[in-house]
Amino acid sequence: MKLCVYAICKNERRFAARWMRSMREADGVFVLDAGSTDGTPELLRQLGARVTQEIVSPWRFDTARNRALALVPEDAGLCVCTDLDETFRPGWRAAMEAAFTPGTHQLRYRFTASFQPDGAEGCVFWITKAHARHGFRWTHPVHEALEYTGSAPLCIRDAPGVQLDHHPDEGKSRAQYLPLLELAVRESPDDPRDLYYLGREYLFRRRWQDAERMLLRHLAAPGATWREERSAAMRGLALAALEQGRTGEAKTWLLRAAAEAPHLREAWVESAQLALREKVWSGALYFAETALAIRERSRSYVNTADAWGALPHDLAALAAYYLGLYDRALEHGRAACARSPQDTRLRENLRFYEEKAK
């Protein structure tokens, strides 16, 4: 089977060599360069990629990705879309070939979207950017997604053993995201995905009232049936309410978020944070330990790094301490330190719990 990688880029010379080393298991690498001025296309060509330079105007990520896909030969069996700041761990091709059995159209695999300062994984979810050469197109101006256009029932299989890591340029501007998301909502006013993403972007920019308006539209949209995304929207509404001083409303939204998707840690953790802030120690301990009882991490993009790191144990330890449950505080304090051993505050708190537990 011919396996090809395709990508879009602009001014990403710093990532080019690392990315090409990671993609060398492919039979061909095809790149659409959208106007680099730093020598990215020249370096990629030297390293073996086939690069086409084209200005996409007006800029849309879906248009650019579709043009990059068009560069892939028609006889390719499997196409893999990545970005230049992403790298596969070795052995990814064999794992994809094993999963891409006859009748499969698309593969799902593990993606680490961010890393903590100490190198530990941050946000992790599963993505589906490996697909058959025909029967797919990219849609949405930003946060673009693959749309299946084939006639046979879509078959997506997991590809265990495939791991893609994202090491982004943190200094890169997100300025184009907002106008493209606003365009997406104008084009598809009832699309729950675009409504959620735009609401989240407003949260990032601290535009609380705009975020509330958009997230409420998301929840009211006829197609907004995915409980995990609905729960994330409710958590966003809680944050917006809290930042505007409406603490009671924030509590309500967090409880609704937990009820909407009780299998997710995030709403429970954020409820524990708010309860601790309000000095409701028993509530904070209950929420934190409820979160910790959830052992399986969601594969969706709405999960957060904090909920799966030291934070739930830290919240439980603090709440237990204030309740006078020193042995319990010690247990959670040790667990928090094990997950974040470089955190000075957690280590100091642990020594305090140890003294009290004596």
Side-chain angles (χ1 to χ4, degrees), residues 259-302:
E260 188 75 27
H263 62 288
L264 300 182
R265 276 191 180 188
E266 283 71 17
W268 299 110
V269 170
E270 290 169 22
S271 294
Q273 288 178 297
L274 183 52
L276 201 66
R277 168 178 159 171
E278 296 290 297
K279 299 182 180 180
V280 184
W281 315 127
S282 57
L285 183 59
Y286 169 76
F287 290 133
E289 291 189 332
T290 298
L292 289 166
I294 300 169
R295 302 299 176 86
E296 185 174 347
R297 188 171 186 166
S298 166
R299 289 183 169 193
S300 74
Y301 74 95
V302 299

